[in-house]
Amino acid sequence: FIDDFRFVETTDQLRATNEIINDLEHEKPMNRLLVGDVGFGKTEVFMRAAFKIIENKGQVAILAPTTVLTAQHYGVFKERFSKFPIKIEYLSRFNTKEENFKIIEQLNKGNVDIVIGTHRLLSSDVKFKNLKLLVVDEEQRFGVKQKEKIKELNYAAHVLSVSATPIPRTLSMALSSIQEISIITEPPKNRKSIQTELIKISEESNSPGQW
């Protein structure tokens, strides 16, 4: 799985991966925060953790705050795991109710290895057979009630929170050692920096949406 990675890992990626894998090898459930800017390779790190869990017959849940991010993760995971007999599904409003129901049914039976979903994963009808790793992506975008639901969901599984901009409370927990922390500060080679531009809408144009 590692050999199939098409890029060169950064030192920070390797260190973060090793820290997480080391946590997974202990009986005590992991409670770790993974911090890194957009495009710094956080997804590859938690995909390797997911692979490790599935190697040991566990299930993995990836919780994301939006339908769009869920769909993006699903595409990346399907491509990255394509050479392996791993069942990956996703729950979101892009599916019909019937499709989501069938996925949940298979998930509860243990026939799904990785499930990626929005808040739908926190519903009472979702009951994992053998959840071993819960990844909460963009952790800062979940509210207090949702985080309480997440605690109910994890079944004493390993928990990895992922964020580019962790909220002060999360950082405080990490810095006070209540939660372990892995930080990726090294950008991949040749990564282009993000440029943000503010552009006024042209009021002279008759075409709606023209800039």
Side-chain angles (χ1 to χ4, degrees):
F1 184 77
I2 291 172
D3 289 343
D4 283 341
F5 188 50
R6 296 184 291 113
F7 307 97
V8 177
E9 301 97 332
T10 64
T11 304
D12 281 356
Q13 272 184 302
L14 291 173
R15 179 182 43 74
T17 301
N18 290 335
E19 289 171 347
I20 292 166
I21 297 301
N22 184 59
D23 283 355
L24 298 181
E25 291 174 345
H26 287 81
E27 290 185 9
K28 180 184 176 182
M30 173 178 69
N31 182 19
R32 183 172 288 273
L33 172 65
L34 176 62
V35 179
D37 203 353
V38 176
F40 277 38
K42 299 188 299 295
T43 304
E44 175 62 22
V45 171
F46 65 73
M47 282 196 290
R48 293 185 183 189
F51 191 91
K52 185 70 174 176
I53 290 294
I54 294 163
E55 254 191 337
N56 289 279
K57 313 301 181 185
Q59 288 178 299
V60 177
I62 313 293
L63 181 62
T66 66
T67 304
V68 172
L69 185 56
T70 297
Q72 288 175 343
H73 277 326
Y74 179 70
V76 171
F77 268 72
K78 287 290 284 186
E79 179 183 359
R80 188 72 175 87
F81 286 80
S82 60
K83 292 184 180 180
F84 303 90
I86 292 172
K87 182 70 171 175
I88 303 172
E89 296 287 0
Y90 82 110
L91 293 171
S92 82
R93 61 183 177 85
F94 283 163
N95 298 337
T96 64
K97 286 186 178 180
E98 291 75 18
E99 287 172 333
N100 280 336
F101 178 79
K102 288 179 180 178
I103 291 169
I104 291 170
E105 190 176 44
Q106 292 301 305
L107 183 66
N108 295 347
K109 290 179 179 178
N111 296 331
V112 175
D113 299 304
I114 299 174
V115 63
I116 304 166
T118 55
H119 311 85
R120 184 69 179 86
L121 275 178
L122 303 177
S123 302
S124 58
D125 58 340
V126 178
K127 302 181 187 299
F128 293 87
K129 185 175 182 179
N130 191 27
L131 181 65
K132 293 298 182 184
L133 174 63
L134 171 63
V135 178
V136 185
D137 197 17
E138 295 202 22
E139 178 266 353
Q140 77 280 1
R141 295 181 64 177
F142 289 92
V144 174
K145 289 184 179 179
Q146 292 158 347
K147 288 179 181 178
E148 289 301 316
K149 277 284 188 180
I150 292 169
K151 289 178 183 178
E152 294 174 16
L153 173 67
N154 68 41
Y155 303 127
H158 298 288
V159 178
L160 179 65
S161 301
V162 183
S163 180
T165 54
I167 60 175
R169 180 176 177 273
T170 302
L171 269 181
S172 176
M173 288 174 63
L175 295 174
S176 63
S177 299
I178 295 174
Q179 186 178 39
E180 301 295 330
I181 185 168
S182 294
I183 303 175
I184 300 177
T185 60
E186 182 184 358
K189 188 177 180 181
N190 299 325
R191 177 184 180 272
K192 294 182 179 179
S193 60
I194 296 172
Q195 294 183 346
T196 304
E197 296 182 8
L198 297 177
I199 305 173
K200 290 185 178 180
I201 296 177
S202 172
E203 297 180 358
E204 299 175 358
S205 171
N206 293 321
S207 301
Q210 183 170 339
W211 300 88

